[in-house]
Amino acid sequence: MRQHEWCFHRDLGPAKVWGYWAKNPNDPGKPLGMGYLGPTIAATRDHPTVVKYRNELPAGPHMFQFVLDRIRKGDPQLTPPPYHGMPPLPPNINVWNVVHQHGGFTPPQSDGMPLQWFSPKGVRGPSYTTLDPGKVAPNEAIYAYTNHERSAMLWYHDHAMGITSLNVYAGLAGLWRVGDPADERLGLPGGEFEVPLILQDRTFDEDGSLAYTMTQVEGADTPVVNGKAYPFLAVQPRRYRLRFLNGSNERFWRLRFQADRTVVPEENLPFWLIGTDGGFRRPLQMLNFLISPAERYDLVIDFGRLPMGAKVTLTNYNAPVHFPDGGGPEISEIMQFRVTEQLTGGGDPTTPPKELALPPVELVRPKPGTRRREWVVYQKGIFESMTFNGLPFMAPSEDFVKAGSSEIWEYINPNHDAHPMHVHLVNFQVLNRQPIDATAYQAAFQKWLDGGRRPADRPVLDRYVTGPPSPPDPDEAHSWKDTVRVYPESVTRIIIDEFDPPTARIASIPASGAELPATYVHHCHILEHEDDDLMRPWTIVTDHD
């Protein structure tokens, strides 16, 4: 983790940014990195990866120190609820970091959870862990990853307690691609025709530097793709595989590909969705898609129908920052695809999407007696902190999951905005959603909290539903997910097939596997909500715990 300069646009001056750098195997004196974001880590399924993270950021002040200062002064809009008098941020330091592999099948000691942070000066968080402790400096940590996932695009990003939003906004994020040699037989676009696209929004001062404005407004005002504002990509007239990550702090995007009507009969270019967070799914032809923070969409689009010189604009529409009723700066145009390159290789050898033989996704069906667990998005009043079930993050885990079991988690959202919920360790499937009487449920839940949270008195969800369950959105159905859109005034149900953390050694490193009980977290991936305080631990236990 280093500070560097990065130019987001040719008309902007250089900005001070944070990013990840990798050791260069060919020249140790010249590390690999851009400055902003981080290198894509390309892994092979079931071949583990071991990473030493070194924190070489300036020790302080933080790039956005004014936010930390407001939290430490108790600003009610930014400060999480107190827990036993503990300060909301670590005292006496201003920069602390930890890295989370988002979507990974990872033991807790390598998960990069909020309290596992470490600082440039070697100050360590209360849950700091490292493998091979004799091989790390005070400002380092070694993590081991199983890569025991389906072929998918994961990502890695900062997850430090209380300041994840600031650290990611500064640039601490990158892609982690898990590949499978069997994919080579599928006939998908590859090489230069497989393009990762990290979508973010950022605001800039006149000199080109990053401006963090989300203490005043929702979202930022400028689209940034792979670190560039309003970029374009020159393409050949053929099929491309585009792999989207919504890396924004808060913003939902509803995306479509708009072509000039004088070039093609339809304005919106169709595409095929072939994968989501957790890997491949049955191909689905679409004209647009909604993507919330942290979600990934894997799609194939054909520019071969377009004449040379055609331009296709990736546009955003009907999606406020906080979906569906939020505000914030509107961003309508994001980037362009320009058909200006000559077709190489004598043609397009890839398989048409409707003919793709992708690995099928078996539906996980609830069994009689499957445990249901409720998570209520609770906010007492406007501008007050959000929590799960009225508990701060720092309160001890009170949700204990049996190892090897399956559960249905019900996210109850009586609020007006959607929340992207991310569960560490596991992939899941979306079961259904159901509308609720949000006002009545909120009042009943508040009464339950005020009455001391007696389990027997907790509001019964079924008494507040106002309609039948609706199936998953078409893009979610038959898909593996690690982040789900929890829509307002409804309950969103997901099913987790098996809670089974990796207990075996990873890469032959002692103490690298999970030991039970094993605690993980889940949280809203609107990063400002995660920091303030919409995140909770949960613990996997054995029958004997």
Side-chain angles (χ1 to χ4, degrees):
M1 292 165 270
R2 288 178 169 172
Q3 182 170 289
H4 205 264
E5 286 191 341
W6 177 254
C7 189
F8 286 88
H9 190 275
R10 65 185 180 190
D11 295 334
L12 292 174
K16 180 172 65 177
V17 296
W18 291 356
Y20 297 108
W21 297 72
K23 184 177 180 179
N24 188 334
N26 300 316
D27 188 347
K30 294 183 178 179
L32 300 170
M34 300 194 307
Y36 184 74
L37 300 176
T40 295
I41 298 177
T44 301
R45 184 179 184 182
D46 289 325
H47 289 248
T49 302
V50 180
V51 183
K52 176 186 279 189
Y53 294 109
R54 180 181 298 122
N55 195 339
E56 293 185 354
L57 292 168
H62 196 284
M63 276 181 60
F64 310 112
Q65 183 68 33
F66 74 95
V67 181
L68 276 66
D69 294 342
R70 285 178 58 180
I71 294 172
R72 285 182 168 133
K73 291 176 182 177
D75 186 324
Q77 185 177 343
L78 303 176
T79 308
Y83 181 70
H84 289 186
M86 297 180 67
L89 300 178
N92 305 321
I93 60 172
N94 292 311
V95 175
W96 59 96
N97 308 89
V98 70
V99 185
H100 169 57
Q101 185 204 48
H102 182 117
F105 182 65
T106 310
Q109 60 268 46
S110 294
D111 195 48
M113 287 180 282
L115 295 174
Q116 294 174 325
W117 55 263
F118 51 103
S119 81
K121 294 289 189 180
V123 181
R124 294 169 172 179
S127 299
Y128 168 86
T129 58
T130 184
L131 305 180
D132 276 346
K135 297 181 179 179
V136 297
N139 65 330
E140 296 176 340
I142 294 175
Y143 289 176
Y145 302 102
T146 65
N147 295 316
H148 183 60
E149 293 88 31
R150 301 166 190 86
S151 177
M153 190 174 79
L154 315 182
W155 60 304
Y156 62 101
H157 60 82
D158 192 275
H159 211 308
M161 180 66 194
I163 57 171
T164 295
S165 57
L166 306 180
N167 293 343
V168 172
Y169 194 87
L172 291 177
L175 297 178
W176 189 297
R177 183 183 180 276
V178 178
D180 189 329
D183 296 348
E184 301 297 327
R185 300 191 293 268
L186 296 174
L188 290 168
E192 65 181 297
F193 309 112
E194 178 184 346
V195 183
L197 298 170
I198 303 176
L199 270 62
Q200 298 174 310
D201 54 333
R202 295 292 184 262
T203 296
F204 301 97
D205 290 321
E206 288 187 7
D207 63 358
S209 60
L210 278 171
Y212 183 84
T213 58
M214 282 179 276
T215 54
Q216 292 90 36
V217 297
E218 296 175 1
D221 60 16
T222 303
V224 171
V225 184
N226 294 352
K228 290 294 181 179
Y230 295 106
F232 72 89
L233 178 67
V235 299
Q236 297 181 18
R238 53 158 293 156
R239 284 183 283 271
Y240 277 72
R241 183 181 182 185
L242 306 179
R243 306 189 73 168
F244 284 89
L245 160 68
N246 183 351
S248 297
N249 279 35
E250 299 186 337
R251 184 179 289 272
F252 286 64
W253 306 86
R254 189 188 296 277
L255 303 174
R256 59 186 173 186
F257 298 87
Q258 288 192 288
D260 189 336
R261 288 289 296 272
T262 62
V263 173
V264 290
E266 67 273 15
E267 181 181 13
N268 297 324
L269 215 60
F271 58 89
W272 290 81
L273 178 68
I274 63 168
T276 55
D277 307 342
F280 292 121
R281 53 151 292 147
R282 184 174 60 208
L284 173 68
Q285 191 172 38
M286 304 181 73
L287 291 174
N288 64 77
F289 64 99
L290 178 70
I291 183 169
S292 67
E295 286 189 295
R296 282 90 69 209
Y297 275 66
D298 189 354
L299 57 90
V300 174
I301 188 167
D302 190 358
F303 297 112
R305 304 165 50 219
L306 305 177
M308 294 298 290
K311 296 178 182 178
V312 176
T313 304
L314 181 67
T315 62
N316 176 49
Y317 75 103
N318 195 24
V321 174
H322 288 185
F323 185 84
D325 296 322
E330 182 178 345
I331 296 176
S332 57
E333 294 187 356
I334 300 167
M335 68 172 292
Q336 275 191 348
F337 301 87
R338 300 176 182 175
V339 187
T340 56
E341 301 293 302
Q342 294 296 324
L343 186 63
T344 58
D348 186 348
T350 61
T351 303
K354 64 181 178 181
E355 299 175 14
L356 284 170
L358 300 179
V361 175
E362 284 191 37
L363 289 182
V364 180
R365 301 189 184 278
K367 301 177 180 66
T370 299
R371 168 70 189 264
R372 292 175 178 261
R373 195 176 298 273
E374 294 181 359
W375 302 99
V376 179
V377 181
Y378 169 73
Q379 185 179 32
K380 187 172 184 179
I382 191 168
F383 298 130
E384 295 194 34
S385 292
M386 292 184 184
T387 63
F388 282 124
N389 297 342
L391 288 172
F393 167 69
M394 292 299 294
S397 174
E398 64 174 29
D399 287 275
F400 300 96
V401 180
K402 293 293 184 183
S405 67
S406 178
E407 289 196 358
I408 294 170
W409 284 14
E410 300 179 301
Y411 285 101
I412 303 165
N413 181 11
N415 300 310
H416 299 297
D417 296 332
H419 300 273
M421 299 303 186
H422 170 51
V423 186
H424 286 213
L425 175 70
V426 299
N427 275 191
F428 52 77
Q429 293 177 9
V430 182
L431 271 184
N432 58 47
R433 295 180 175 89
Q434 198 165 8
I436 62 171
D437 183 337
T439 302
Y441 185 88
Q442 174 82 2
F445 192 79
Q446 185 65 58
K447 182 178 179 182
W448 178 69
L449 292 179
D450 293 341
R453 304 181 79 250
R454 287 165 45 93
D457 297 334
R458 184 166 179 154
V460 177
L461 175 62
D462 288 347
R463 297 176 183 171
Y464 297 90
V465 298
T466 58
S470 58
D473 293 343
D475 54 294
E476 300 170 317
H478 299 275
S479 297
W480 289 109
K481 301 281 292 171
D482 59 48
T483 304
V484 61
R485 300 183 295 269
V486 174
Y487 294 138
E489 300 181 357
S490 64
V491 53
T492 298
R493 298 184 179 93
I494 63 173
I495 185 165
I496 300 165
D497 186 30
E498 189 175 35
F499 291 88
D500 184 25
T503 55
R505 282 189 178 188
I506 304 171
S508 301
I509 300 176
S512 54
E515 294 185 6
L516 301 184
T519 296
Y520 293 87
V521 299
H522 71 128
H523 55 85
C524 178
H525 225 286
I526 293 175
L527 299 182
E528 283 70 17
H529 290 178
E530 172 187 338
D531 286 342
D532 180 43
D533 197 40
L534 195 47
M535 176 166 56
R536 282 291 293 154
W538 52 275
T539 303
I540 303 175
V541 297
T542 67
D543 290 331
H544 307 294
D545 291 323

